[in-house]
Structure formats: structure tokens, C-alpha cells
Amino acid sequence: MTVPPDGRPLRRHRPFVLLCAEQTAGSVGRQITALALTLLAVTVLDAGPFAASAILALTYLPGAVLSPFAGVLVDRVRLRRLLVLATSLQALAVGSVPLARAVGHITWPHLYAVAAVSGTLTFTLSIALQTALPRVVAPDRLLAANSVLTGARTVGQIGGPALGGVLVGLTGTGPALVVGSAAYAVEALVLFALPAALDTRAAQRDAPGTSPTAVLRAGLDVVRRERPLFRMVLAGAGLNLGSGAAAALYVLYTSRELHLPSWQLGITYATFSAATVLGIVVAKRFGESLGLWRATRICGLVAGAAGFLVPAASAGPAFPLLIAYQVSYGLAVTVWSISLTTLQQLIAPAGLQGRVAGFNQAVLLVTVPVGALGGGALAGALGNVPVLVASAVIALVSGATLWAPMRAEQQTGQALPLTDQAQRGPGGR
């Protein structure tokens, strides 16, 4: 289903405004839930490091394992019904925890089950919403729409932990989880208000009798065939691998080796959040002026090169170098993410949007824990600085692969028109 051009400003586009509200409500709910579940495990069930980490892993791993299958589901069902059902189930799953605690029957299996169910639903929703946006917004406005949606989500990511911390401090983990559940319920109501036309099935359907393997592989075939998209996904996986290792060592390295005061460490994290906001602001203009393909190649190099600033902090002024890292990396990866999502939505056929998003999400997600675990294991034997240098090399080489020459026959399809379209700006003007 292709949406015709629409001259209304996005702020007056009711379905898009509803998606923005959903992004904010859902992001707040996820942040509060993640914080409250972990604190409940620590304070009520006396969790050790492994048990607390297991809760986080169970919210994360489903996205890496099940995203391709969730993509098939998204392509085959009525989209608005799936969105409402998934958010409603999240509200019920999270709400079951304070209910169980109120009756004095909170257990580890219950917490693990809630974490796994919530994680599965979160990543299914991510794929479904990526598929929903092209059904709401015309192709020439997808870049601007993705920038605004990322901003709405970032509001929740920045404010959610603070709100969760205040709620836990004032009322305890149980009431905080009730608020998290209520945020999911609000998200479900917002999604229910989306137009019923969103439930229209995609025009492209799988042929009768198609095997489950072929159905799943169809999304992968699109990614492999569209070489710019294929290269961006692989480069993103390499960037995540390197940044995952750096993120796992960051606090330990800055506190023990650089002896950075806690207030300076906090400022570096806040700087990343500010750089993310700046990236959201400039992503549309950057993509329109350079084209999405060129913009992502530049951002890949910047993000990879930024990683060298972290180990360099051991030989120079640590605090300014880390600030420079957070600014350059946060800005580059934000523009990268928005551009990749837009490119994916423009290239993927209507009936394969979910599967393409599912494969991309799985590849990008699985490399983060691999990088974190690998970096932590190697740092124990080699030290932090050598591993941080190696992670930066991996990230930079991954970004540099985007600049390798591409044969003319590999640039066919929608990738090159997309660049021209982005340069013309909204409405093709």
C-alpha cells in the first residue's frame, strides 16, 4: 500500500502524530519496566550479579533470535490488530508482577517469564512499527518522519529512567511497575486510534503452497539483492560489534584506569544523549543534501574513527577526549540509524517490509552482546586499552567497507533513485 503525497505538515497528520505519541509512551513504559524489574530482583529476591544480568539478557535475546520470524508474522497479519494486541499483552505481562507481589507470590520463574515475553513483544512491535510508517506517510516524507519518531522515542529514553527512579524512590518497585503497565495500556489505546486502513493487507502476498523456509528467505533475498542495503547492514553489524566491546569496558576503564570522577563520567553519558538529539535535528537536512547512501557512508567512517578517542584518553586529556567521543559517535550513529531505517522502508516491497526489517534487526542486535562478551573476555587477558583499540579498528574497517566500489549492476533497483529523491527533498522539489 503506497500512500499518496500529502501537503499537510507532519504535526497535523493525525496518524503520524499518533505514532509519535505511541513512541513516547512505549519508550517510557520500557524504561520504567526495565529499571523496576531489576531493582525488584535485587531488593526483594536478593539477586546476585548473574541473576540480575539474566533479566536484562532475557529482554534482549528474543530480538536477536526471533526477529526474522516476527517479520513473517508482521507481513501476514492485520497490522493494527497486531500492534494493539502486542501492547495490550505487554501491559498484562508487566502488570502481573505487582499483582503477584501484592499477594506475596513473586518468584524467579515469573520474573524471567515477564522479561522474556516483554522483550519478545518489544522487538515484534519495533518491526511492526517500521512496517506501519510507510502505510501512513508518503515515501518522499519518510526521512523527516523517521527523524521525528526517533526524537519522540528519545524523549522517553532520556526521561523514562529518571521518572522510573523517582517512582521507585517514592513509592517502591510495585507501584512503579503499575505505572509501566499503564504506559503500555496508553500505548495500546493510541495504536487503536490509528486508521482502520492500516489493517489492509499488503498487495504482495506469498504464493499458495510456499514453504515456510521460502517465506522466511524472501526477506533475506531482498537484503542480499539490494547491495547498498546489504552493505549498510553488514557495516552496522561491525560497528555494533566494536561499540559493544567498548561499551562493556567503558565504566571499568574510565573509573579504574583513567580515574575519572563519577560526575565527569555522568557528563559523558549526558553528552551522548545531547549528541543524539542533535543527530535527530540534522538527519533530515543531512540526508536530503547528500543523499541517504552518501550520508550513511560518511557517518560510518565518523562513528568508526570516533572509537579511537576512547583508548587515546589514556595518553591525553581524558575528559575532553571522552566528550569528543560521545559527541561524534552519538551524532554519527543517530544519523546512520535514521538513514538506514528510511532506506530499508523505501527499498523493501510492501509485502516484505516486515521480513526485511526482521532480518536487519536480528543482525544488528546479535552483534552487540557478542562484542560485549568478547571484549570483556579479551580485556581480562590483554588489558582494556588493547581491546579498545581493536574494537575501534573493527568499527572503522566496517564503516570503510561502505566506500568500496560497487559494480553498476549492483546499483540497480531503488537505491539510486532514492539518493536523487533525498537530494530533491520532500515532495520532489
Side-chain angles (χ1 to χ4, degrees), residues 85-101:
L85 177 61
T87 48
S88 300
L89 289 175
Q90 275 194 314
L92 293 174
V94 173
S96 71
V97 177
L99 179 61
R101 188 183 178 190

Side-chain angles (χ1 to χ4, degrees), residues 26-44:
S27 184
V28 169
R30 283 185 286 276
Q31 297 296 327
I32 294 175
T33 299
L35 176 63
L37 277 180
T38 303
L39 288 176
L40 186 147
V42 171
T43 58
V44 177

